[in-house]
Amino acid sequence: KRSRPNQQQQHHHHHQSGPAPNLSTRKELYERDFPVYKQPVEIGCFSLDSERRFFNDGRQMRYYVEPERNPNFDLRDGYKDRYIKRDGNVKEKLDHILRWILANKSKLCSKGAAASPCALDFDFVTWRGHLTKLLTTPYEMREGWLLAVTRFKGTLYISEVETEAARREQENRTERHEEMMYWGYKFEQYTCADDVHSLPDPGGVVNTNEAFCTVVQTRLADHRLLFSGEVDCRDKDPKAPAPPACYVELKTSAEICTPKQRSNFHRFKLLKWWAQSFLPGVPRVVAGFKDDEGVVVNVDTFPISKISQLIKNEHNCWKPTVCMNFCCDFLSFVKQIAIEDHPSVVYLFSSEPRRDVTFSVHRDSQYSFLPHWFVEEMSS
Ligand code: A3P
Ligand code: MG
Ligand code: MG
């Protein structure tokens, strides 16, 4: 059933003989040479304030302050009375990136034929987080994804759609899980200062509306990419390298006490951490290892460039080349499928663990995600 195109597709691809080609997620198929991945270059940044308002600048940047090795940070502190949680029911889709594109239109747009007043020199525009999901797909045994793609003025915009399973999981979150999601942000508060010369303020409010996002440009094989991702903080040393090399990703993880826990950490956690930071060229992850009571018992730095060696002793482990080749082939697949250039046409790509990636086509549906304000401004 899954490998067959639906009727809409069959109609759309009536010129083809046989079923529409789906994309395999079997990791063996992607074990070839590492594809070209150009050093990501930061072309801008933006900030979202405490009320989730957009600013075309770096006002929400924070500065990393190295903690002691065994800090005993209490991540539960403030959960009840100093926590402002972002409203997860508001689906922002690509809106902030589109706002950034419009704010930087003059430097991004190449004026072409009269019919296309503003064409971007990019094949894809998306969130880094969506690309992270693509990188880990061949190894993902639990969660599927839905990615909506629209071709507009030659550029392919990729925006995630929440799966039914994810929505149910969110609704059925336990109070414990709800609190544990706060812990990661609390760790950021213990290790980040608002200014180069100030210190972290663990007594303040944790507000998860606030974000600093980098916008980077790079190329994966023949795919020219523009994507944005949230950055936790930067090295405060004025002699630190330019962005993104000065950025630091912060993570928390369960304390490792047994060989089995170490193996799981390498096989599952480090895959996600590597994929997320490798994409924008963030060179290191600072990890806080916490006990069951939410106390950070030790802190360790993981250079992204060292992660592939770290995992090599692990039996049956993930490989960076499989991640990058799968992503590259998925983007080629999208280019080949999403042909019609129209802001309200969505090609919806669907992945479920151990299944091929399938797709369906939707016109003027609930899945359309390019807002009128963007379409109109890009057309004038
Ligand atoms: P940890 O991952 O350190 O626990 P990020 O690490 O990407 O900067 O995200 C910051 C924090 O947001 C996470 O910290 C976690 O607390 C929370 N978070 C991010 N993605 C999440 C998800 N999919 N589900 C639950 N919490 C999430
Ligand atoms: Mg973050
Ligand atoms: Mg983080």
Side-chain angles (χ1 to χ4, degrees):
K1 158 168 155 267
R2 204 170 282 281
S3 61
R4 296 235 165 204
N6 66 25
Q7 294 209 310
Q8 235 176 328
Q9 289 161 25
Q10 228 146 27
H11 176 71
H12 188 60
H13 293 275
H14 57 84
H15 55 282
Q16 288 181 344
S17 57
N22 290 325
L23 181 70
S24 177
T25 61
R26 287 180 49 215
K27 49 187 176 299
E28 305 76 41
L29 294 171
Y30 301 97
E31 291 196 3
R32 44 179 201 265
D33 286 348
F34 202 85
V36 169
Y37 189 66
K38 279 187 57 182
Q39 184 67 48
V41 173
E42 181 173 83
I43 55 171
C45 64
F46 59 85
S47 293
L48 304 171
D49 75 359
S50 59
E51 293 170 58
R52 210 65 186 166
R53 288 175 300 209
F54 172 95
F55 295 91
N56 181 32
D57 58 41
R59 66 182 67 192
Q60 293 290 348
M61 168 79 81
R62 292 181 297 176
Y63 299 84
Y64 177 61
V65 178
E66 193 179 331
E68 39 175 314
R69 250 189 103 77
N70 307 105
N72 287 326
F73 293 145
D74 176 10
L75 301 181
R76 304 179 91 157
D77 177 51
Y79 175 66
K80 281 267 147 33
D81 56 323
R82 297 191 327 277
Y83 180 27
I84 298 172
K85 191 167 158 254
R86 173 159 81 98
D87 183 355
N89 296 320
V90 179
K91 299 297 173 211
E92 300 173 325
K93 297 173 279 192
L94 296 186
D95 290 2
H96 298 306
I97 300 177
L98 304 181
R99 256 179 222 113
W100 181 87
I101 289 174
L102 290 188
N104 295 274
K105 199 177 157 205
S106 56
K107 70 174 180 192
L108 286 172
C109 290
S110 59
K111 297 255 175 184
S116 59
C118 178
L120 298 178
D121 289 323
F122 294 99
D123 299 309
F124 293 94
V125 168
T126 192
W127 282 108
R128 176 269 311 275
H130 302 354
L131 296 173
T132 304
K133 288 197 176 178
L134 288 171
L135 262 61
T136 59
T137 297
Y139 299 107
E140 183 57 60
M141 293 301 141
R142 296 189 332 196
E143 288 166 14
W145 47 252
L146 287 171
L147 292 171
V149 178
T150 291
R151 188 186 284 267
F152 176 55
K153 294 185 184 296
T155 295
L156 292 145
Y157 295 82
I158 307 180
S159 180
E160 189 171 34
V161 172
E162 189 176 48
T163 63
E164 203 49 52
R167 202 178 56 80
R168 273 201 298 271
E169 188 157 302
Q170 201 183 327
E171 276 174 2
N172 299 330
R173 263 185 212 143
T174 62
E175 177 55 30
R176 163 92 180 164
H177 188 182
E178 205 57 60
E179 181 178 338
M180 286 180 74
M181 283 175 50
Y182 165 79
W183 294 359
Y185 299 109
K186 185 66 188 177
F187 180 61
E188 295 176 6
Q189 191 192 51
Y190 276 113
T191 52
C192 296
D194 287 341
D195 303 282
V196 194
H197 301 292
S198 64
L199 289 173
D201 173 21
V205 170
V206 170
N207 185 329
T208 58
N209 288 300
E210 296 174 5
F212 166 82
C213 295
T214 179
V215 181
V216 304
Q217 116 173 31
T218 185
R219 184 164 60 82
L220 172 58
D222 61 343
H223 308 302
R224 297 167 300 163
L225 315 178
L226 181 158
F227 59 84
S228 175
E230 204 206 328
V231 169
D232 292 335
C233 57
R234 61 159 290 159
D235 188 330
K236 64 180 162 60
D237 186 341
K239 282 178 289 193
C246 60
Y247 292 152
V248 180
E249 172 60 41
L250 301 169
K251 289 291 182 194
T252 66
S253 195
E255 179 186 13
I256 295 166
C257 303
T258 68
K260 176 80 180 163
Q261 287 169 342
R262 176 167 306 275
S263 170
N264 283 339
F265 172 74
H266 287 163
R267 295 184 56 192
F268 305 109
K269 251 326 163 29
L270 283 185
L271 164 60
K272 302 245 159 113
W273 292 6
W274 173 84
Q276 183 188 29
S277 288
F278 179 77
L279 280 164
V282 171
R284 59 181 163 140
V285 174
V286 170
F289 292 94
K290 67 205 179 214
D291 65 18
D292 292 338
E293 270 76 59
V295 175
V296 173
V297 288
N298 58 72
V299 173
D300 234 325
T301 297
F302 294 85
I304 293 302
S305 61
K306 298 248 170 82
I307 287 181
S308 62
Q309 285 119 273
L310 244 181
I311 60 163
K312 278 204 173 104
N313 295 325
E314 217 56 69
H315 179 65
N316 232 322
C317 206
W318 58 277
K319 293 189 178 83
T321 200
V322 168
C323 300
M324 296 305 283
N325 282 316
F326 174 78
C327 182
C328 186
D329 286 10
F330 173 77
L331 297 178
S332 300
F333 181 60
V334 169
K335 275 182 180 170
Q336 177 198 311
I337 300 295
I339 294 300
E340 192 177 340
D341 195 307
H342 194 283
S344 65
V345 174
V346 163
Y347 296 84
L348 187 64
F349 293 84
S350 168
S351 177
E352 288 295 334
R354 285 177 277 256
R355 302 272 183 228
D356 286 359
V357 176
T358 62
F359 71 93
S360 52
V361 191
H362 307 264
R363 295 187 161 74
D364 300 301
S365 72
Q366 53 176 340
Y367 298 118
S368 297
F369 61 88
L370 289 183
H372 288 117
W373 51 260
F374 180 72
V375 172
E376 272 147 39
E377 177 102 8
M378 291 293 276
S379 307
S380 65

